[in-house]
């Protein structure tokens, strides 16, 4: 490696001038499986995120596993493109576009929407009750955690969406395509779903240009963005703005349901607040994020060349909950919305069904480079056992793979062996 150094900002949270230095242990390690430098010190992670001129966001939306020619052809058929707009934009247009989106995710709009979120949750509860009837297990992701954030975001952005099941499938498949390690055949299936998603967006943008509205699409078009820029922004926002919230809620459901007294306590707003905080601190659905070196820099005693990729750990490293949403000019705009939805969804569900118990202590997981959460959260209702402190309840009968009702195999994994390492 080069011995040259870049000049970085003055000391900040343990960062020395000309050297990003962490505290304790081995905060910087090269991950040979992933081909990236892994950063696990909270102060160092913050410092990296606060220096986009040194550690750029350009690889934020780049496919972790290189796309095959077949997959690229599938995407190219619909003009799929993700030009730098928000998460991957370090240029002068970022602030203006971010400001436009921030208007739709501001505190006033989010706070005004909380009654709507509550109504959406309550509208889903009868379906959950029906699914649980007779002691049958039900998947809380499919019935509650999945639809509510998607319906909320579409309303907030003023977008007439596809069927919620379709949007969720597009979102999950897009995450796996860009942050997973699918084999070529699986990648082709995922690319087809991503292409359908993008083609739907292109149709929306075409209609919006003819008859502009006052929603997010109209606002982005009003900035003078191209069709590709608008589609890029909406592709990212319609995934990140609801799928990660689903994953946060799913993780909270799973963590609380395996401890029955804790679940029953989730009807209390203070208990739910603590659960949100603890989940984001130790088990956030976005556990890592990527950056790429733009200037030669010394990081934790190592010299990094231009183009070196950096994987930042955001949770479970001793930092606070706020780190789960990032730091600096690319900090997640949806923090207030996501945490508000999580509190309301878990609280309302626990209030309606205090006797819920976990029916699967080891659920199938979404396990991607930068996204991790239960893909399913199976529960049974035991209203006569609200105060009992036993562990997970496993109803009699067929409980599927690993003792979980209807359990599917894990969606994907990032524990790569030698044959699947990134090249």
């Amino acid at each position: 490696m080069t011995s040259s150094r870049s000049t970085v900002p003055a000391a900040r949270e343990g960062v020395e001038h000309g050297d990003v230095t962490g505290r304790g242990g081995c905060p910087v390690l090269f991950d040979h499986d992933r081909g990236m430098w892994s950063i696990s010190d909270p102060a160092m992670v913050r410092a990296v995120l606060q220096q986009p001129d040194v550690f750029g966001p350009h690889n934020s939306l780049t496919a972790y596993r290189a796309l095959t020619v077949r997959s690229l052809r599938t995407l190219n058929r619909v003009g799929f493109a993700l030009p730098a707009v928000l998460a991957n934009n370090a240029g002068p247009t970022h602030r203006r576009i971010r400001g436009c989106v921030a208007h739709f995710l501001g505190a006033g709009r989010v706070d005004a929407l909380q009654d709507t979120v509550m109504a959406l949750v309550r509208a889903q509860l009868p379906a959950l009750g029906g699914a649980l009837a007779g002691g049958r297990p039900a998947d809380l992701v499919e019935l509650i955690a999945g639809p509510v954030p998607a319906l909320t975001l579409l309303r907030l952005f003023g977008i007439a969406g596809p069927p919620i099941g379709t949007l969720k499938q597009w979102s999950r498949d897009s995450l796996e395509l860009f942050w997973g390690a699918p084999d070529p055949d699986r990648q082709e299936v995922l690319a087809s779903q991503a292409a359908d998603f993008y083609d739907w967006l292109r149709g929306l943008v075409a209609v919006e240009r003819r008859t502009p509205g006052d929603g997010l699409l109209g606002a982005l078009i009003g900035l003078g963005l191209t069709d590709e820029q608008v589609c890029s922004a909406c592709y990212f926002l319609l995934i990140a703005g609801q799928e990660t919230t689903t994953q946060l809620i799913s993780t909270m459901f799973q963590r609380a349901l395996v401890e029955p007294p804790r679940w029953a306590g989730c009807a209390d707003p203070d208990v739910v607040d603590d659960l949100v905080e603890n989940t984001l601190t130790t088990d956030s659905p976005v556990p890592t994020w990527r950056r790429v070196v733009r200037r030669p820099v010394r990081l934790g005693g190592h010299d990094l060349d231009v183009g070196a990729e950096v994987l930042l750990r955001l949770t479970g490293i001793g930092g606070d909950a706020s780190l789960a949403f990032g730091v600096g000019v690319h900090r997640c705009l949806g923090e207030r919305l996501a945490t508000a939805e999580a509190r309301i969804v878990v609280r309302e569900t626990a209030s309606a069904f205090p006797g819920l118990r976990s029916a699967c202590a080891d659920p199938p997981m979404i396990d991607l480079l930068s996204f991790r959460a239960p893909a399913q959260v199976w529960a049974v209702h035991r209203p006569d056992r609200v105060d009992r402190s036993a562990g997970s309840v496993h109803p009699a009968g067929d409980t599927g793979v690993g003792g979980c009702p209807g359990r599917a195999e894990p969606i994907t994994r990032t524990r790569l062996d030698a044959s699947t390492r990134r090249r």
Side-chain angles (χ1 to χ4, degrees):
M1 288 191 178
T2 179
S3 61
S4 59
R5 304 285 185 270
S6 65
T7 302
V8 297
R12 182 194 297 121
E13 294 189 271
V15 178
E16 299 175 6
H17 185 75
D19 186 355
V20 184
T21 304
R23 301 190 182 103
C26 296
V28 180
L29 295 172
F30 189 75
D31 186 331
H32 290 275
D33 283 343
R34 295 188 171 108
M36 302 179 191
W37 290 93
S38 177
I39 315 302
S40 59
D41 176 81
M44 188 178 294
V45 169
R46 287 181 178 277
V48 168
L49 289 171
Q50 288 171 333
Q51 300 175 67
D53 57 326
V54 180
F55 302 94
H58 308 78
N59 60 341
S60 296
L61 307 185
T62 301
Y64 170 58
R65 167 65 61 82
L67 299 181
T68 65
V69 172
R70 280 192 303 160
S71 295
L72 289 171
R73 285 174 178 165
T74 297
L75 296 173
N76 287 338
R77 288 191 196 106
V78 298
F80 191 102
L82 297 177
V85 178
L86 286 169
N88 59 343
N89 188 358
T93 62
H94 175 258
R95 183 174 181 179
R96 185 166 57 103
I97 299 170
R98 181 180 170 86
C100 175
V101 176
H103 168 74
F104 289 87
L105 293 168
R109 289 176 68 97
V110 169
D111 292 348
L113 200 67
Q114 294 194 27
D115 286 344
T116 299
V117 176
M118 192 177 300
L120 289 172
V121 180
R122 292 176 178 177
Q124 296 295 125
L125 293 176
L128 175 59
L132 291 166
R136 296 191 304 269
D139 178 14
L140 299 188
V141 177
E142 178 184 2
L143 295 169
I144 304 290
V148 172
L151 290 165
T152 300
L153 193 72
L154 291 171
R155 292 194 184 193
L156 193 62
F157 286 165
I159 294 175
I164 293 303
T166 300
L167 178 60
K168 300 302 288 187
Q169 189 67 53
W170 284 346
S171 299
R172 289 191 297 268
D173 286 352
S174 293
L175 291 181
E176 186 179 349
L177 177 64
F178 287 99
W179 283 273
D183 63 38
D185 289 339
R186 175 62 178 164
Q187 192 181 100
E188 174 63 15
V189 173
L190 300 172
S192 180
Q193 290 288 331
D196 288 347
F197 190 0
Y198 198 89
D199 195 43
W200 171 75
L201 285 172
R202 290 187 73 94
L204 286 185
V205 173
V207 171
E208 193 75 20
R209 284 201 183 276
R210 293 194 297 270
T211 55
D214 58 2
L216 176 64
L217 287 169
L220 292 171
I221 290 171
L223 291 180
L225 301 188
T226 66
D227 285 3
E228 288 74 18
Q229 288 174 317
V230 176
C231 288
S232 177
C234 290
Y235 182 78
F236 175 74
L237 289 168
L238 286 179
I239 297 172
Q242 52 85 24
E243 186 59 28
T244 54
T245 305
T246 288
Q247 293 175 10
L248 172 60
I249 296 168
S250 301
T251 303
M252 291 171 61
F253 273 154
Q254 184 66 28
R255 295 181 72 167
L257 285 168
V258 296
E259 302 177 34
R262 187 182 196 185
W263 171 254
C266 283
D268 182 336
D270 290 337
V271 173
V272 175
D273 286 348
D274 289 343
L275 181 59
V276 172
E277 184 85 5
N278 183 262
T279 301
L280 290 171
T281 300
T282 63
D283 204 15
S284 165
V286 186
T288 68
W289 205 244
R290 285 177 290 175
R291 285 292 182 261
V292 62
V293 176
R294 301 179 69 183
R295 308 179 194 167
V297 65
R298 188 167 180 80
L299 183 65
H302 300 275
D303 298 325
L304 273 62
D305 292 325
V306 172
E309 292 196 82
V310 174
L311 187 68
L312 306 171
R313 289 188 58 192
L314 304 178
T315 186
I317 57 173
D320 57 45
S322 67
L323 190 59
F325 294 96
V327 177
V329 297
H330 291 93
R331 180 176 175 81
C332 176
L333 288 168
E335 175 182 1
R336 192 180 189 93
L337 176 63
T339 53
E341 287 182 282
R343 291 185 182 99
I344 294 169
V345 170
V346 174
R347 186 180 69 236
E348 289 296 312
T349 307
S351 296
F353 297 97
L356 281 183
R357 298 290 181 268
S358 172
C360 180
D362 182 25
M365 298 294 292
I366 296 169
D367 192 3
L368 306 169
L369 178 68
S370 293
F371 301 93
R372 191 174 194 279
Q376 300 167 344
V377 177
W378 290 96
V380 291
H381 194 214
R382 297 287 189 264
D384 57 329
R385 297 167 64 181
V386 170
D387 297 323
R388 200 165 161 183
S389 59
S392 301
V393 175
H394 297 273
D398 180 15
T399 55
V401 178
C404 296
R407 174 175 174 166
E409 291 303 316
I411 290 177
T412 190
R413 299 170 188 258
T414 55
R415 300 182 185 94
L416 309 180
D417 60 25
S419 65
T420 58
R421 287 175 185 167
R422 191 171 183 267
R423 292 173 174 83

